[in-house]
Amino acid sequence: MSLDPAILINESIVKEIPPQVNYIPNFITEEEEKDLIKKVNNAPLPKWTQLSHRRLQNWGGTPHPKGMIAEDIPQWLQTQIDKISLLGIFGKDKTPNHILINEYLSGQGIMAHSDGPLFHPIVTTISCGSHTLLEFYKRFETENIESPKRVFSLLLEPRSLLILQKELYHEYLHSIDEREIDVIDKSDIKNLYLCSQTYDKNQILNRTTRLSLTIRHVPKTSKLKLKLRR
C-alpha cells in the first residue's frame, strides 16, 4: 500500500450513505487475483459446500453459535489477511481468523441478509474474476413487505476491497440480485466516484464467474485447533 493506512481508510469512505462503507479499488494486483482464483479452484472437492444457488468454502473453521473450532489458514489466504490487518480496522486484538469464499456464476446471487452476531461487526470482502452490484435495504423496511425497497447499491469491481461496519452492518441488509447483466445507474450506485474506471450512464456490464473472499473475525473460538494437511 502506497498510502498511509489511516489516510487510505479516510479517503476510501463512501459518502452520502449511512456510516460506514469503505471501497478500495485494485486492492490486489491482477497476478494476485489470478493466483487466488487458481488456488480456490484447485481446493479439494470436499472443501466445497454446495448450496441451491451457489457454492462456498470455509477457511479457518466453520462458525457456530457454540464456538468455531479453529483450523490453520493456508499461506495464500493468510497473505490477504495480513494485508487487511495492516489497515488497522480490526484493532490489535481482533485479527481476522475466518475466510468465507463464495462462488457466483453469472445469474447467481444471494438473498437480503446481515452477517449476524457470530462475527465481530466488521466485514471485509475482496472480489475476484467479475464485478457485481451489492444492493442495500434498511432492515425494518424488509419486514412484512413483499417487495422491499432498495436504498442504494455499490459496484464491486474485480480486485477491489469492500469494508462494511457500523450502522451499515447492524441496521441494513445486503443482497446480490440473480441476473446476468447490470446497468449503471449513476443516481443509485453510490461509490462510482471511487471506482477504478469511469462508467457511462446506462452502461451494461456483463457478469462472469465471481469469487468473493469475505474476511472476518470470529470472537467465539474453541481452544481446540485442528491442523489440516493441504
Side-chain angles (χ1 to χ4, degrees), residues 28 57 108 112 209 225:
I28 61 172
Q57 298 177 12
Q108 293 183 335
T209 299
K225 189 171 184 180

Side-chain angles (χ1 to χ4, degrees), residues 21 23 30-31 47 77 165 169-170 194 205:
V21 172
Y23 180 77
E30 291 186 15
E31 290 73 19
K47 196 65 185 175
L77 288 173
Q165 58 183 313
Y169 186 97
H170 294 288
L194 290 171
L205 303 180

